[in-house]
Amino acid sequence: MENSRQIRNRLFVDPEVQAALLLRIVTYWMVCLAAVALMLLCRQIIAGPPRPVFAHLEDLWFRFGPPFFASLVVLPLILLDIIRMSNRFSGPLIRLRRAMRALARGETVPPLRFRQGDFWKNFADEFNAVAERVAELERLLQTDAVGCEKSIRNPSLTAEGEHLPAEREQAASPPTVSSPAQPVVFLSRQAEYVPPSFSSKHG
């Protein structure tokens, strides 16, 4: 938590993105100055009397040198404002990336909240919904794993966790085979009949 607060207190939180943005601003400033200077030089050469090019450049520097230094003084202020503004979208992305990495490692991620004035606040709400859904699925998986472990340890339990009745166990058990020592008696209408092979063997 301390590290996240220190990161949010710095303006330069994402060097790759913010440095590229500052370089692009400085490039635009230089291109703009060069375009304006070239346009003024061409106008002075065409509209003024014929003179050497160095004389035109000297006259141009004398007239427009102070505005150039004024823009050079204002440029750092513009860059500082760009850094502050880029921090409003780079900072939330840094926090979102850290939270996603923690969630991928299986850690418990607290609800994500962006600062007042940050961009992309809806990303925090959507991430919180995803994190809550992942936590719910993990709880369901843990519950199923505990149930499967109990059923493996005690196979006589049903899905509801109750023991099978004795009648069902007896019905499920295989039928017993009668002993071969007992004779098979066939009943007729007049009298009982015992096979002769059995009587001669055990007689």
Side-chain angles (χ1 to χ4, degrees), residues 12-167:
F12 214 67
V13 295
D14 195 348
E16 183 178 358
V17 175
Q18 291 178 291
L21 186 60
L22 294 180
L23 182 61
R24 185 64 59 90
I25 296 297
V26 173
T27 303
Y28 288 160
W29 174 75
M30 295 177 63
V31 170
C32 182
L33 285 180
V36 171
L38 183 61
M39 182 184 65
L40 293 176
L41 180 62
C42 293
R43 178 180 177 276
Q44 188 172 347
I45 292 175
I46 295 174
R51 290 187 301 175
V53 179
F54 294 103
H56 289 288
L57 291 175
E58 184 179 359
D59 190 17
L60 186 66
W61 176 256
F62 178 77
R63 290 184 179 182
F64 300 102
F68 169 76
F69 283 107
S71 64
L72 188 61
V73 171
V74 174
L75 180 63
L77 300 178
I78 296 175
L79 296 179
L80 180 61
D81 183 69
I82 292 298
I83 293 176
R84 292 175 62 90
M85 189 199 69
S86 63
N87 182 268
R88 295 171 59 188
F89 61 82
S90 296
L93 289 181
I94 292 294
R95 292 189 59 191
L96 183 62
R97 183 172 59 187
R98 290 178 178 270
M100 291 178 65
R101 288 177 178 176
L103 187 64
R105 291 193 298 265
E107 301 176 2
T108 301
V109 181
L112 195 60
R113 295 288 182 270
F114 292 160
R115 298 182 307 172
Q116 185 67 28
D118 283 344
F119 293 107
W120 301 329
K121 288 186 177 181
N122 55 342
F123 281 5
D125 298 333
E126 294 172 0
F127 174 79
N128 293 334
V130 172
E132 183 178 358
R133 180 61 177 169
V134 169
E136 181 181 356
L137 292 177
E138 287 181 352
R139 288 193 297 267
L140 292 176
L141 288 176
Q142 290 178 358
T143 304
D144 293 342
V146 171
C148 291
E149 185 178 359
K150 288 182 179 180
S151 63
I152 292 174
R153 290 181 178 179
N154 193 356
S156 62
L157 294 177
T158 59
E160 293 78 15
E162 297 178 358
H163 288 280
L164 291 171
E167 294 81 1

